[in-house]
Amino acid sequence: MSADILIRPVVVSDYAQWLPLWEGYNAFYGRSGPTALPDRITQMTWARFFDAYEPVHCVVAEEDGRLVGLVHYIFHRSTISISPTCYLQDLFTEESTRGKGIGRRLINAVYDQAKKAGAARVYWLTHESNSIALKLYDQVAELSGFVVYRKSIE
């Protein structure tokens, strides 16, 4: 793990470096080219990080002045807890920096923020084919056993 990695909240001036990471994350899940997210979604996602009334947050990993990773997380209510719940929605590191412990540090940053917010738990989803990420997730959390169903309402 590199000691030169700084884990910190995103700032407005990070946009130009955050955007390629966000696009890389989306491309990993098949959202690029003709299936890319509309720009208005990217712009709204970015704006939400800086709106005090939004429960959406971003932490980045910086190495030598360059962003190399991101994690987005959302606090929400739950019917099974009085405390808020934290959903770790997006986690991505540059391919060239993988294996340095950056993903683990970003997850731990979310854990720290969830603890500060009084959250009861942190959870996330990943695709079953994401074998490299699964190896990390098995070390930092427990597999819930739940199956996710979804239906687009458009």
Side-chain angles (χ1 to χ4, degrees), residues 64-102:
D64 299 324
R66 190 172 63 86
L67 297 189
V68 295
L70 61 78
V71 64
H72 303 151
Y73 58 99
I74 301 168
F75 291 109
H76 66 83
R77 305 258 185 248
S78 171
T79 59
I80 62 170
S81 174
I82 293 172
S83 302
T85 297
C86 182
Y87 175 52
L88 188 160
Q89 186 164 16
D90 311 312
L91 176 66
F92 185 77
T93 62
E94 269 190 355
E95 190 170 351
S96 65
T97 64
R98 292 183 188 150
K100 291 184 173 184
I102 296 170

Side-chain angles (χ1 to χ4, degrees), residues 87-142:
Y87 175 52
L88 188 160
Q89 186 164 16
D90 311 312
L91 176 66
F92 185 77
T93 62
E94 269 190 355
E95 190 170 351
S96 65
T97 64
R98 292 183 188 150
K100 291 184 173 184
I102 296 170
R104 178 185 302 268
R105 290 184 61 192
L106 288 166
I107 291 169
N108 284 333
V110 173
Y111 289 167
D112 290 344
Q113 292 304 310
K115 187 173 185 173
K116 287 178 188 173
R121 68 179 175 153
V122 175
Y123 74 102
W124 62 92
L125 309 172
T126 194
H127 196 272
E128 63 188 355
S129 65
N130 195 354
S131 59
I132 293 173
L134 289 171
K135 289 177 186 174
L136 169 61
Y137 300 161
D138 286 342
Q139 295 173 27
V140 299
E142 59 186 50

Side-chain angles (χ1 to χ4, degrees), residues 15-97:
Y15 181 77
Q17 292 190 63
W18 169 86
L19 185 59
L21 293 169
W22 174 238
E23 290 172 341
Y25 172 80
N26 282 298
F28 180 82
Y29 283 107
R31 295 183 296 263
S32 64
T35 60
L37 290 176
D39 187 55
R40 64 186 174 83
I41 292 176
T42 293
Q43 295 306 314
M44 181 58 76
T45 297
W46 179 255
R48 285 175 172 159
F49 301 145
F50 305 101
D51 183 338
Y53 294 102
E54 286 284 346
V56 181
H57 305 278
C58 177
V59 171
V60 292
E62 180 181 327
E63 181 178 41
D64 299 324
R66 190 172 63 86
L67 297 189
V68 295
L70 61 78
V71 64
H72 303 151
Y73 58 99
I74 301 168
F75 291 109
H76 66 83
R77 305 258 185 248
S78 171
T79 59
I80 62 170
S81 174
I82 293 172
S83 302
T85 297
C86 182
Y87 175 52
L88 188 160
Q89 186 164 16
D90 311 312
L91 176 66
F92 185 77
T93 62
E94 269 190 355
E95 190 170 351
S96 65
T97 64

